[in-house]
Amino acid sequence: MRSITNITACLFLGTVLTACQDAGSNAGEAMTSDTANSKAAQSKMSGFDVTLANAQARVEARLGDPFTIPVPKDPGGGYTHETHKANGFLLYDVGQLYELTGDKKYAEFAAQAMLDYAKVYPAWGLHPAQKEQSPGRMFWQNLNESMFLLNVAQCYDAIKDTLTPEQKETIEIDLLRNMADFLSVGAPETFNKVHNHGTWATAAVGLTGYAIGDDEYVQQALLGLDGSGEAGFLKQMDVLFSPDGFYNEGPYYHRFALKPFVIFAQAVQKNNPDLKIFEKRDGILKKAIYGLIHQNYGGLFFPINDAIKEKGIRTDELLNGVAIAYELTGDTGLLSIAAEQDTFVLTPESRKLAADLAAGKATPFDYKTMRFGDGPQGDQGALDVLRASDDPKGLAVVVKNTSQGLGHGHFDKMGLLVYNAGHEILRDYGAARFLNIEAKFGGHYLAENNKYAKQTVSHNALVVDETSHFNGDVNVGNANWPKIGNFVNEDGLKITSAEITTAYDDVRFDRSVAMIDDAAFSEPIVIDLVEAHSENVHSYDLPFHYNGHLIETNFDLQAYPLSRAPLGKKNGYQYLWKVAEANPVDGLSQVTWLLDKKFYSVTSVVPSEAKIVFTQIGANDPNFNLKPEPGFMLRARTSDGVSFVSVIEPHGDYNPTLEYTIGSHSAVKSVRHFEDGGDEYILIETKAGERVGLGLAGDGGADTVHTIDVDGTDVTWTGPYKLFHSETHKAARN
Amino acid sequence: MRSITNITACLFLGTVLTACQDAGSNAGEAMTSDTANSKAAQSKMSGFDVTLANAQARVEARLGDPFTIPVPKDPGGGYTHETHKANGFLLYDVGQLYELTGDKKYAEFAAQAMLDYAKVYPAWGLHPAQKEQSPGRMFWQNLNESMFLLNVAQCYDAIKDTLTPEQKETIEIDLLRNMADFLSVGAPETFNKVHNHGTWATAAVGLTGYAIGDDEYVQQALLGLDGSGEAGFLKQMDVLFSPDGFYNEGPYYHRFALKPFVIFAQAVQKNNPDLKIFEKRDGILKKAIYGLIHQNYGGLFFPINDAIKEKGIRTDELLNGVAIAYELTGDTGLLSIAAEQDTFVLTPESRKLAADLAAGKATPFDYKTMRFGDGPQGDQGALDVLRASDDPKGLAVVVKNTSQGLGHGHFDKMGLLVYNAGHEILRDYGAARFLNIEAKFGGHYLAENNKYAKQTVSHNALVVDETSHFNGDVNVGNANWPKIGNFVNEDGLKITSAEITTAYDDVRFDRSVAMIDDAAFSEPIVIDLVEAHSENVHSYDLPFHYNGHLIETNFDLQAYPLSRAPLGKKNGYQYLWKVAEANPVDGLSQVTWLLDKKFYSVTSVVPSEAKIVFTQIGANDPNFNLKPEPGFMLRARTSDGVSFVSVIEPHGDYNPTLEYTIGSHSAVKSVRHFEDGGDEYILIETKAGERVGLGLAGDGGADTVHTIDVDGTDVTWTGPYKLFHSETHKAARN
């Protein structure tokens, strides 16, 4: 409880900011959440009631204190910055509290605070610590000023009916219009930019327009400064999300971009219902909200590109997003998401969400296998998500067939993530960053982010010649993306595939990933086919960054028990200790690990001269900035391309409570890969003698017949793919 | 769900045992638990109802199948072994189901099964795979035979009233007496042994006596074969637990030993209430149950000595134990433990427990600061447990001032464990073992258990000359234990201390650990004083095996970014990579790490020539048998002993959801250690300028006055210890 007291002291009393100089944004919510849990446990209040009670208690503690408006001086993280930021959130809170409770004291506080701001704001020039691009006046960058106005405009809208005409005039002219003008006509380069900073600016100015009843601001916000529609909110809606609601930089930045979209769109819906803003572009904003939800596993966002891995659906932006989407759709599956969020915000929509949740109306959220096209037209690659079922803790696979994702993008074309039983199984490192932790490079992205986390080898993605995709050049990356192939979503069979020819000069490669359900296996499994094509000599590494403790391999490990050295010198390899090496047995590599009471095996058919290299992150890391995670990679050097076919298999049960273990060994005896032209056939044989096959056609249509010679027997199928089930499976189906 | 099907197939149909050859004991419970959760979620049944329904469904699936009684052949883990084991559990289940439901079909099945056993059992000689010591007939060792009889005697007792006199005679003579005789007069070396195998045997034979109404068995069980009381159950009750209910080998083996004690004692209570078995030795069996509960954190047992770290209060033995203790005491705090166990057993006591839990009668379990004396008389050291509050997730400290703990004991005198916020903060490695996982040395203790996990350096315990306590000799260890000192349990101040003179030839050392609560710190902190006394040159290492990611140090780290080598060659040091070294700054070492959104700092005053060595487990581990956990150690080489004083401090909050971080830096500016004769004074100064002091007297009584010169000022206190609070704290109290 003391730490909560500290937060209060820090951000609300505003007196001991030096004691928490690394504090970030609206930390006050922490109290809401923590106190909420204990309070809810005690009194069985609904989640929203707890949020409301906490907000009232939090604000109550501020009402008697002097409201501090310091002269702008400090950059982000400093005293004046944090104080104005906290003031903005406080004003939002009191506005919402007035609206929700009708208690005049909130309105009076808000009025006085805004009048106080109106007194000083007009005289403030550019911030003394202004950033070079897009400087602010209250803050060092105008992005923060937009965020402040977004809060304050909503506050004004909520309490304006309590003001005298004189008060209204003062606040509107000296604070709201002054700030809105500064953010619009005063900063056209940001306001007209089709970029999330532009969305914050247009949303703030548009909300101001609605609040003060000036449609010119609204029109500027919607259509850009010149009203042409070439810029502004509607244009941003057209461009910043793909038609499937995918955000180019990935979910971590998606959630940040989402908030001004949904907040302003909601105001548009209320004030200009004729615009049908939520129906525009085939309901793009709903898709953006749903898309973000679908991009989570175990409550955390898929950590593709620069991402803080702990970030997930409890994020503030998605609390608003889910409440608004529920208001729009009535989809009771969203109530399950709200239950997992377990936190609410101070809006009527959130109140309704909490009430319906408490009333037991929740149904399971419809998690499903989806392909999210990337790019404004959806034709720049795709994020492919395969789920074995709608169970949020079931087997799930993500294949990153997207485009680069701009400056925050990682060089991991066709990178693979696998989840099961609530955990990451094959994982992405995410960003190398300790957010807001001063001792770790001030909480910024670490040098290791560019040098390790963005490099291809830190992902489950094919590396050629120990060099990252596009040679690590983000401009080349932005100009190229995979050509996406099959996407199949059938009962018991999901497939994604894609190919890229531009990641390396003379190597094109493709990856097909299938999730299949066959009675020969105790659970659904994944088949992963990676093929590279080249006419020159290259080395190929296919890393598997596994999560767990190594249990078993089908080969003898040559470890380095007395010394360790880095695996390479550049492109991220310098951060990997080489901890062991091995040779496959009869062209087969099988690696089994244990994670939280389940076993996972990767059984791969590899070229007979291949090596398996085991790694641990942490070489060249004198400041211990990186997490010491394990991995192994399939490695081959060839003159004519390579193929790696792997079966990724969850199995067994390690139960230390009841002291039994079953199924600790992989069920896979062999994996074989047959090719004929562009056609492929993958044959899995289990230790129990079952055979499961997957045919993938190189080309042709739905009626094209494909035949491959498998051990002297022709295997034939029609169309782009076919799963050949085991006999046991077929018998069970009959 | 498929994996559950597998378990059923494996242990109940008994047909595909080869598919689960590494299965252990009563795996059937797994289904109970898993299915229970989903069923309970669906239907809001009480926990016991779910247990009962699952047992009925599970047994139902067996009733129509042939009941297999194979001729004994296989050792533990093999087909005949597992089948008989499963049969025993099945008979227990059907007996209980008959008792709970009155449905005759259960009794009929049980009768036939026991008659079938009675037909074949008398002809079985010693098991073909007999163990050298204590061989069985149905199983390779008679321990398993005792476990079988424990189950079957309870079954017979439950259903005997449904039998004809002929059936009774057959079962009693050819199965129950035959087996009981084999386990008692037939195996006096086990039966009369004061050891947990003896408890299983006496409990099984005693239960048989009650079931068939033969008091001679009961008396043998209670008093030993000769009725003298020098052996038998009552003697075991006198010796195997300390007067405080501590089990010498620690909680992991405690829970295994507990089951026959509570099961048989319960039968004694019902059949011979005059014996007041649960009141004997000041209620030792209740103390043993409570003691085991107190020795958990976050649901898992303190992993001292050989321990599978995942084992905790959900263990079958403690499901029975809690139900029985609740029946005896009515302590509603036990309902909170039952809630955390979330699993029930097929007994009337467990049914009552579930009903009262469902009725909302639970109160918090009274976790508290406790000293558990070790040894039959409680005078062979102690396990000291300090808890900041009754919050099961609050700050807790365990100091292992116990005796050796026999063959499963580790060489870690005065070893320290620290827990906070539900996690291990400073941790013990536990056993080096993957229980029942065949690929890891058959699931047995690994070679690394003796060579690393038992060695002193793998613990948070002082190591002299890189040599383990007692030079790693378990016989010397068993003959020696620490002399325990102060134990204080006051509001805001808990202290434990102990000293040992026998761990090393010419070094005696002591450790005092205090948990204090002072307003100068946001949370309770720990002060750790380790002192060694010697007149010769020695090297001293004090390891801190921390859990988390290194964030900050007050010194420059000299890391080895390009190569790694083992820290030493023997006594466990060969398993540690030396990953960095550093010098303290002005005699102060400060290390901060991050774990699950909280920061932890250890600030130590050390000799100015000391080094700080950072390690990672995993050298000399070519099979990857060890977990790659981090640690650091304070290291000094001196000619006149050493003292290390550390402040262990949880602090701050890293919140990636709301994107703020507060309190990431330690609040400690300096720690100083003043000595005068045997008196000690530890002075902590915070960065905010607060001073907190702890005086510890070397000797004297409650009225002895102690004075130490601290920077020219005399600090005086009366009695063995005194906490000098900060000014802020004192002001708040006034």
Side-chain angles (χ1 to χ4, degrees), chain A residues 22 30 311 438 657 660-661 665, chain B residues 30 311 438 657 660-661 665:
Chain A
D22 47 1
K311 195 82 174 180
E438 199 182 24
T657 298
Y660 69 86
T661 299
H665 304 293
Chain B
K311 194 82 174 182
E438 199 182 24
T657 298
Y660 69 86
T661 299
H665 303 295

Side-chain angles (χ1 to χ4, degrees), chain A residues 2-3 6-7 10 19-31 33-34 252 255 308 310-312 314-317 429 433-440 517-524 549-552 557 559-566 574 577 579-580 594 597-599 614 616-628 652-665 729, chain B residues 2-3 6-7 10 19-31 33-34 252 255 308 310-312 314-317 429 433-440 517-524 549-552 557 559-566 574 577 579-580 594 597-599 614 616-628 652-665 729:
Chain A
R2 290 246 194 91
S3 58
N6 277 357
I7 298 172
C10 162
C20 34
Q21 54 192 338
D22 47 1
S25 72
N26 53 332
E29 289 292 329
M31 193 171 68
S33 171
D34 276 15
Y252 180 72
R255 56 89 212 167
I308 302 298
E310 296 91 345
K311 195 82 174 180
R314 290 183 171 213
T315 191
D316 189 49
E317 297 86 352
Y429 191 85
R433 180 182 190 186
F434 291 86
L435 186 66
N436 294 324
I437 298 181
E438 199 182 24
K440 291 294 193 187
D517 196 355
D518 185 283
F521 293 92
S522 58
E523 306 179 36
H549 194 107
L550 187 65
I551 292 294
E552 189 172 26
L557 277 169
Y560 305 100
L562 297 177
S563 68
R564 280 191 173 170
Q574 69 272 36
W577 295 112
V579 302
L594 172 66
K597 308 181 180 65
K598 278 203 75 71
F599 299 89
F614 286 77
Q616 188 189 51
I617 301 169
N620 275 291
D621 183 23
N623 297 317
F624 298 89
N625 282 342
L626 296 171
K627 294 169 281 183
D653 186 7
Y654 167 68
N655 190 322
T657 298
L658 298 172
E659 303 211 342
Y660 69 86
T661 299
I662 56 171
S664 67
H665 304 293
H729 191 92
Chain B
R2 290 246 194 93
S3 58
N6 277 356
I7 297 172
C10 163
C20 33
Q21 54 192 339
D22 46 1
S25 71
N26 52 331
E29 289 292 329
M31 192 171 69
S33 171
D34 275 15
Y252 179 72
R255 56 90 212 167
I308 302 299
E310 297 90 345
K311 194 82 174 182
R314 290 183 171 213
T315 191
D316 188 49
E317 297 86 352
Y429 190 84
R433 181 182 190 185
F434 291 87
L435 185 66
N436 294 323
I437 298 181
E438 199 182 24
K440 292 294 191 188
D517 196 354
D518 185 283
F521 293 92
S522 59
E523 306 178 36
H549 194 107
L550 187 65
I551 292 294
E552 189 172 27
L557 278 169
Y560 305 100
L562 297 176
S563 68
R564 278 190 175 171
Q574 70 272 36
W577 295 112
V579 302
L594 171 66
K597 307 181 181 66
K598 277 203 77 69
F599 298 89
F614 286 77
Q616 188 189 52
I617 301 169
N620 274 290
D621 182 24
N623 297 317
F624 298 89
N625 282 341
L626 296 171
K627 295 170 281 183
D653 187 7
Y654 167 67
N655 191 321
T657 298
L658 298 172
E659 303 210 341
Y660 69 86
T661 299
I662 56 170
S664 68
H665 303 295
H729 191 91

Side-chain angles (χ1 to χ4, degrees), chain A residues 220-256:
Chain A
Q220 281 182 341
L222 289 171
L223 301 168
L225 287 174
D226 66 359
S228 70
E230 286 307 301
F233 191 82
L234 296 179
K235 181 71 178 178
Q236 288 155 354
M237 280 177 59
D238 277 347
V239 172
L240 290 181
F241 295 100
S242 80
D244 293 328
F246 182 75
Y247 190 77
N248 182 257
E249 294 178 297
Y252 180 72
Y253 281 92
H254 184 148
R255 56 89 212 167
F256 179 71

Side-chain angles (χ1 to χ4, degrees), chain A residues 379-403:
Chain A
D379 56 0
Q380 300 180 357
L383 187 78
D384 287 343
V385 182
L386 311 182
R387 294 191 189 255
S389 70
D390 63 358
D391 177 357
K393 292 194 171 183
L395 180 66
V397 162
V398 179
V399 188
K400 189 164 173 257
N401 299 329
T402 66
S403 60

Side-chain angles (χ1 to χ4, degrees), chain A residues 274-306:
Chain A
D274 50 303
L275 276 182
K276 296 197 163 122
I277 188 104
F278 283 105
E279 303 311 314
K280 279 204 186 296
R281 209 181 161 214
D282 198 21
I284 189 66
L285 292 179
K286 281 185 282 186
K287 286 183 182 175
I289 296 169
Y290 272 93
L292 186 55
I293 297 170
H294 277 291
Q295 289 176 68
N296 97 80
Y297 189 92
L300 302 180
F301 295 134
F302 302 151
I304 56 171
N305 295 328
D306 283 346

Side-chain angles (χ1 to χ4, degrees), chain B residues 115-387:
Chain B
L115 286 167
D116 289 352
Y117 262 111
K119 247 181 249 163
V120 294
Y121 188 74
W124 289 348
L126 287 184
H127 192 281
Q130 61 184 272
K131 281 200 166 179
E132 272 184 41
Q133 294 186 324
S134 315
R137 287 158 63 194
M138 185 181 296
F139 299 96
W140 64 337
Q141 58 176 347
N142 68 16
L143 171 63
N144 300 99
E145 212 117 338
S146 296
M147 292 167 161
F148 181 89
L149 183 57
L150 188 97
N151 281 323
V152 174
Q154 291 179 85
C155 175
Y156 184 77
D157 194 43
I159 67 115
K160 64 187 175 192
D161 293 344
T162 69
L163 300 175
T164 65
E166 295 71 25
Q167 287 176 321
K168 279 190 188 172
E169 190 179 334
T170 303
I171 295 171
E172 290 188 11
I173 292 175
D174 291 340
L175 179 61
L176 300 177
R177 287 178 182 275
N178 196 313
M179 192 175 274
D181 290 343
F182 170 66
L183 291 172
S184 55
V185 294
E189 72 291 345
T190 302
F191 191 82
N192 275 343
K193 199 173 184 179
V194 182
H195 178 277
N196 77 66
H197 288 201
T199 312
W200 283 98
T202 55
V205 169
L207 285 169
T208 303
Y210 284 130
I212 66 180
D214 184 338
D215 192 54
E216 193 178 332
Y217 284 123
V218 175
Q219 294 308 314
Q220 280 183 342
L222 289 171
L223 300 168
L225 288 174
D226 64 1
S228 70
E230 286 308 301
F233 191 81
L234 296 178
K235 181 73 178 178
Q236 288 155 355
M237 279 178 58
D238 277 347
V239 173
L240 290 181
F241 295 101
S242 80
D244 293 329
F246 182 75
Y247 190 76
N248 182 258
E249 294 179 298
Y252 179 72
Y253 280 92
H254 184 149
R255 56 90 212 167
F256 179 70
L258 189 66
K259 187 166 177 177
F261 274 112
V262 295
I263 299 288
F264 183 50
Q266 193 177 27
V268 174
Q269 177 70 18
K270 283 180 185 159
N271 289 280
N272 293 108
D274 50 302
L275 277 181
K276 296 198 162 111
I277 188 103
F278 282 106
E279 303 311 314
K280 278 202 188 296
R281 210 181 159 211
D282 199 21
I284 190 66
L285 292 180
K286 281 185 284 187
K287 286 184 183 173
I289 296 169
Y290 272 93
L292 186 56
I293 297 170
H294 278 290
Q295 289 175 68
N296 97 80
Y297 188 91
L300 301 180
F301 296 134
F302 302 151
I304 57 171
N305 296 327
D306 282 347
I308 302 299
K309 293 184 74 170
E310 297 90 345
K311 194 82 174 182
I313 60 168
R314 290 183 171 213
T315 191
D316 188 49
E317 297 86 352
L318 204 48
L319 302 181
N320 281 287
V322 168
I324 290 167
Y326 183 64
E327 170 77 12
L328 291 168
T329 65
D331 170 7
T332 50
L334 292 169
L335 297 174
S336 291
I337 302 300
E340 206 177 333
Q341 290 176 326
D342 197 26
T343 311
F344 297 87
V345 287
L346 290 174
T347 67
E349 294 78 11
S350 198
R351 189 208 292 255
K352 176 158 181 247
L353 189 75
D356 285 3
L357 177 61
K361 295 186 185 172
T363 56
F365 184 78
D366 184 24
Y367 284 109
K368 57 192 173 192
T369 293
M370 295 176 84
R371 164 166 271 179
F372 293 93
D374 193 3
Q377 276 75 49
D379 55 1
Q380 300 180 356
L383 187 78
D384 288 342
V385 181
L386 311 183
R387 293 192 188 255

